[in-house]
Amino acid sequence: MKEHDHIVLGCLLHDIGKFFERAEILDDYRKNDEKRQSYCKKHKEGYYSHIHVLNTLKFCELLSAQVTQIKPDENQKSTTADQNWINLAALHHVPSEREVSYLEKIVQAADHLASAEREQGNFYEVGINKKTRLESLLGRVNIGETARKNDYFLPLSQTKLLEQAIYPKQANCSGMEEKSNDKGKVWLSQNSLVTDYKQIAEKFIEELKGLQSFRANVDKEKLLKSTLRSLLNLMEQHLSQVPAATNVLHPDISLFDHLRITAAIGEGLYLYHEANKGQINYDDKTTPKWQLVCGDFSGIQKFIYKITSKGAAKGLRGRSFFIQLLCDAVSEQMIRALGLYATARIYSSGGKFYLLIPSQKTEQLKRIADSVNKALLSQFQGEVFLGIGMAEVTGDDFRGGNMGKRWQQANEDLQKNRLQPFKSQVSEDIDCFSQQLQHESGACKICGRDDPASEINAAAICKQCLDLENIGKNLADTCYLFWVWGDDRKTVHNKQMKNLCKIEMPGTDCMLYFLASEPEFSELTDLSSSHLEVLNTWTGLKENTQGYSQGLRYVGKWLKEKNSGIWDFDDFASNAKGISRMGVLRMDVDNLGEIFIRGLRFGNDENKTMGSLSRVATLSRQLHVFFAGYLHQILADYQQSQIIYAGGDDVFIIGSWDELPEVALKIRQEFQKYCADNPHFTLSAGIATVGGKYPISRAAELAGDAEEQAKNLLRGQRQKDALCFLDTTIGWESFADAVKFRKTIELITKQTQSQAIIDRLRQVVISVQEIEQRHKHGQIQEWIYWDKWRWRLVYNLKRMEKRYPEVKDELNELLNQLVTPLSIPNKQPVMEWLQLPVRWAEFLMRSKTND
């Protein structure tokens, strides 16, 4: 093992002892005076503190015994023999002053930099570390306020796609009580959490047995990176809802995020100083030693929707999922090519990724990005472009208040890069715009590609479109993704592994296989560069002698077990209630960019604790768990709706038009609960209703336009947080009123067996629209409420009342809602959304023969 390897593993595991200390296991050394003296910090009053490092030491020894190939060489005789990852993790509070012990100082410096984001506090009571839950970061987010009181905490649980496992709960519903002293106020569990900790910790240790086993001649570097990838995934499942620090006022950073961010910082710090031998001041806070890298794919919307009607459902699913995979593949390619560990990736989701790399690798990363774009240009004919933005990071930037600025700077640099797509490729190849020869079979009937390299088959479909359609076709049956990198590709190819489909990831050295079951190989097969992902349900690490790493991927899947499992677009329309229409729903989180930049500022200090790496990574990961993971649980009861795309912070769902409004409302309600009822987290949505054979690209565009209208809705001081449906934009706060209004219309229509009420209300809608056209500027509410439609409606409804006395109460309720001008702050008057329930009821009651 190299120093680089020892540093990363030491940083990753330095505080893991806190987890086992709270579970009261792996505590063999806690009463060992020799171990205390060697590894623990001695307080000025004579006792030893930071005893958790002894649990760290015991765990590291357990891990080295589990994976013997990473066990430090006990026979090594040198002054640096003790500078191994086990000691580095355990000694981070008491590094040696020996000059040869500089690795210990790097781990300590990385821990201090990663911990600088915490809101320091010295609140303490006996056993506080076993009574503290992880505070909901989503509940703390605020925009335009100096602070937001939050009393929501996450369950102490493994990460599972169950409400009781991932939804935060109010403190008084979780057996917690508020304690206060001169240091501030905190919420603590009334009872010890040792039993909960022990349950998770024992499961964690049990799953360690599944860490890959290796033959003796496997390359050590491949072995280490594979082990760490599996270990990192295991830590994410078990430590994501465990607080990193417990003696702080707001324990909102998980132990998983603290450990992986420490590893990313430590790796960059070590490699920077290795490249600059003359600089040994690891505590220097002003030199830019890291680069924050933001990668983003542009053109993906056009690429995703560039399909024809036939087989469109499969093609759309395949293209949407492929973009998610491409984002991860390219970021992984960069990490591998730069020689970094997986911890360098802060997050990857929704077509965007962030990396933290050593500053001296900047030019190398740009060359890798150019290579990726060269492949993308060839593969997608200029439709998809990888943009890269960067920001220099110093030690001071890890403190509260500064990382948000670097985050913004990287995104601004990204926007500049996107203004000149493929600039490097064009400058290197002046013939790239020259006329190309056409494929002898003509153009692909799906995407229109017609170059000789497109491999168009007899059915006039190019290889790329065929591959993407195969992904969509087989995704519902896929249980595993097998990422095969580098030389492993030849090995797997020769073994002819059984797969549902496979695709080469452009710009990378990866072949991706879609599998229905775990792969099977002989024991002597070395696949330690490869990675196996199980979809949606974590089943633990499984022993494999081939050495591939293992992890979990959340995917918003098309569910075949539903009634709509084998439907195409026109089936969603023909099976809809009332009018035969398919619905397209698009929705995403409002103001997410502002939340990342300004929403993580806590306290009265303008620069206090904003946008730290751990918090941004946590926030992004938690949003991804909801949209990519838990969303398909929400949709399980909706038989005529299917997920096309869900991840990051947005959703694309198709379904029968009549079901989608309820789906959108349900998602919004669940999202509110998931975000601890924080009013700063809102969703805007747009629903387009189209025929089953309507071009999906245009339908997606219409839904996107509707979503944009929802985001532009302003009522009083309130904006966004709305739905646009049937050409009407309504705030979610009024949606229940509109549903009630629609049901009343339906009841009257059925009871009277007449569409008269719909006709009368349609006349009101038309009158209101005419008034709005005449008075486009200024206040027009009074004009609307006193116009002639008013007395006409009163007259017509009174006549209906005499004719249909059985619906007298319903008619009077409608009349009162319409003729009484209500002025409620930040809420729309009825007239602004009246068209919605009227058209909604009309479409629901329309027979198929009258479409």
Side-chain angles (χ1 to χ4, degrees), residues 544-599:
N544 74 89
T545 58
Q546 295 77 31
Y548 54 78
S549 55
Q550 302 165 67
L552 171 70
R553 174 178 291 270
Y554 293 122
V555 177
K557 293 178 68 174
W558 184 287
L559 298 180
K560 290 183 68 174
E561 56 268 28
K562 288 186 179 183
N563 297 338
S564 55
I566 59 172
W567 288 359
D568 214 325
F569 290 164
D570 50 356
D571 297 308
F572 288 97
S574 60
N575 284 281
K577 182 179 178 181
I579 192 171
S580 296
R581 292 289 186 274
M582 178 185 76
V584 176
L585 166 65
R586 293 178 65 175
M587 60 195 311
D588 70 10
V589 179
D590 298 318
N591 306 313
L592 191 59
E594 192 174 5
I595 285 172
F596 278 128
I597 295 171
R598 296 202 301 120

Side-chain angles (χ1 to χ4, degrees), residues 645-711:
Y645 167 77
D649 71 311
D650 61 339
V651 178
F652 187 109
I653 295 172
I654 64 168
S656 296
W657 77 274
D658 57 295
E659 193 171 77
L660 286 188
E662 186 178 347
V663 169
L665 177 63
K666 181 66 173 178
I667 293 172
R668 195 252 182 184
Q669 291 170 337
E670 291 298 317
F671 186 64
Q672 279 187 311
K673 292 194 319 187
Y674 185 76
C675 294
D677 291 320
N678 187 340
H680 295 295
F681 278 102
T682 61
L683 288 172
S684 289
I687 299 176
T689 56
V690 298
K693 297 188 182 302
Y694 195 81
I696 188 60
S697 58
R698 179 58 182 152
E701 188 177 315
L702 291 174
D705 291 343
E707 182 185 25
E708 192 62 28
Q709 289 184 48
K711 288 186 176 293

